């Protein structure tokens, strides 16, 4: 049974691509010397993704605990919000069917009338109909 590991790195103070250039080969070397059978880099517009496949889940878990891997992951551009590590393949790779298109909105649809709410005068004063009532709330609602 193979075990995939996905590492997603988002851009931060430096670009994730710069992080990949500095640490990517060390990650791949550590993966290959610890039983990786396949790997692939993805480059979305927000960062980089490394997917590594191991023959066994135990090899995947051992790779994750290596000092070289820990050092590379500690050096990501945004270690607080820009690093995601999880077993399995990332994104929508497990989706077996393409997304269905959404129905097109009706071009001749009319907007509904907005409900007219009865207002309650909480001031006890006579209101001028031309002046907006600043102290009026819809009936039944608490202030």
């Amino acid at each position: 049974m193979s075990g995939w590991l996905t590492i997603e790195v988002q851009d931060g103070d430096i670009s994730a691509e710069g992080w990949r250039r500095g640490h990517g080969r060390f990650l791949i070397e550590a993966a290959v010397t610890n039983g990786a059978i396949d790997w692939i880099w993805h480059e979305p517009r927000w960062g980089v993704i490394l997917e590594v496949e191991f023959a066994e889940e135990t090899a995947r878990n051992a790779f994750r605990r290596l000092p070289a891997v820990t050092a590379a992951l500690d050096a990501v551009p945004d270690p607080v919000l820009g690093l995601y590590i999880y077993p399995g393949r990332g994104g929508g790779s497990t989706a077996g069917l393409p997304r269905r298109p959404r129905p097109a909105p009706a071009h001749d649809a009319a907007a509904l009338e907005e409900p007219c709410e009865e207002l309650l005068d909480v001031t006890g004063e006579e209101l001028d109909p031309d002046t907006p009532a600043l102290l009026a709330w819809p009936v039944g609602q608490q202030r």
Side-chain angles (χ1 to χ4, degrees), residues 14-45:
I14 62 169
S15 72
E17 178 58 33
W19 173 85
R20 174 188 171 186
R21 286 190 306 267
H23 298 278
R25 67 183 178 116
F26 299 114
L27 285 171
I28 299 302
E29 180 182 343
V32 170
T33 57
N34 285 279
I37 56 177
D38 193 13
W39 69 89
I40 185 167
W41 285 98
H42 302 281
E43 297 177 10
R45 67 179 182 273

Side-chain angles (χ1 to χ4, degrees), residues 116-122 135-143:
C116 180
E117 299 176 346
E118 178 185 347
L119 299 178
L120 174 65
D121 180 16
V122 295
L135 299 175
W137 291 276
V139 173
Q141 291 187 4
Q142 297 293 325
R143 179 177 160 190

Side-chain angles (χ1 to χ4, degrees), residues 101-107:
R102 294 182 181 179
H107 67 279

